[in-house]
């Protein structure tokens, strides 16, 4: 699977599961995420405010929101409105921190990231299986 030219790996998949378990709905229109029998999310997407090319905020919960396909596409097309919405929903302090972090260097280590997010899902959502 890919998003544009950006490859989606195991760490991205696990992090996306965690984000959608956290939010349980589109944070813009509040449509509900659907879950399968294992409790895994099967609808909606993990939207990055600062895009996946920025390794330092790629796995930062404050940089990410569950969105439905429609709202995700709308924010991608309307980045100024996306930033406005980020500031309205999270506050300037959080958005400024995310922006600052997004420009810092972070060593890419997807193995460690995958191990971390698998463990986070296990701890935070112990009833969910099959990931
Ligand atoms: Zn939506």
């Amino acid at each position: 699977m890919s998003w544009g030219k950006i490859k989606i790996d195991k760490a991205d998949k696990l992090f996306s599961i965690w984000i959608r378990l956290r939010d349980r709905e589109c944070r813009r229109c509040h449509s509900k995420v659907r879950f399968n029998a294992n409790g895994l999310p099967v609808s909606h997407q993990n939207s990055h405010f600062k895009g996946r090319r920025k390794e330092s905020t790629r796995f930062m919960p404050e940089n990410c929101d569950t969105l439905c396909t429609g709202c995700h596409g709308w924010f991608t097309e309307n980045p100024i409105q996306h930033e406005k919405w980020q500031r309205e929903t999270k506050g300037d302090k959080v958005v400024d921190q995310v922006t600052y972090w997004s420009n810092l260097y972070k060593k890419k280590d997807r193995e460690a990231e995958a191990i971390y997010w698998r463990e986070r899902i296990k701890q935070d959502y112990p009833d969910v299986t099959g990931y």
Side-chain angles (χ1 to χ4, degrees):
M1 185 184 168
S2 67
W3 188 264
K5 283 177 182 164
I6 308 257
K7 283 221 172 80
I8 306 291
D9 63 22
K10 190 68 191 169
D12 289 312
K13 285 178 186 159
L14 290 164
F15 181 56
S16 171
I17 289 169
W18 188 88
I19 288 289
R20 287 176 291 158
L21 286 167
R22 180 194 68 179
D23 296 341
R24 307 191 75 82
E25 64 175 24
C26 173
R27 291 181 86 172
R28 179 163 176 258
C29 75
H30 307 292
S31 59
K32 303 297 176 198
V33 173
R34 294 191 306 276
F35 298 91
N36 69 15
N38 291 326
L40 288 171
V42 292
S43 69
H44 293 58
Q45 295 163 345
N46 175 24
S47 162
H48 289 69
F49 171 49
K50 297 297 174 186
R52 281 195 171 89
R53 282 183 178 80
K54 305 273 194 179
E55 188 69 20
S56 54
T57 42
R58 187 169 179 141
F59 299 98
M60 188 181 192
E62 295 85 350
N63 184 43
C64 292
D65 301 286
T66 299
L67 292 176
C68 70
T69 310
C71 290
H72 200 175
W74 193 84
F75 276 148
T76 303
E77 298 294 311
N78 297 277
I80 293 167
Q81 290 301 314
H82 190 186
E83 171 134 8
K84 186 167 175 274
W85 180 84
Q86 288 285 331
R87 292 186 179 280
E88 285 167 0
T89 53
K90 298 178 184 174
D92 288 333
K93 192 180 171 189
V94 170
V95 175
D96 289 346
Q97 276 175 348
V98 167
T99 303
Y100 175 76
W101 273 96
S102 73
N103 292 312
L104 299 180
Y105 174 76
K106 183 186 174 187
K107 188 175 181 290
K108 184 172 166 176
D109 187 349
R110 295 299 164 70
E111 283 294 318
E113 210 72 58
I115 290 165
Y116 176 80
W117 287 106
R118 187 182 296 282
E119 196 56 37
R120 276 298 294 272
I121 296 168
K122 195 193 292 180
Q123 285 182 16
D124 296 343
Y125 307 101
D127 296 337
V128 175
T129 57
Y131 50 88

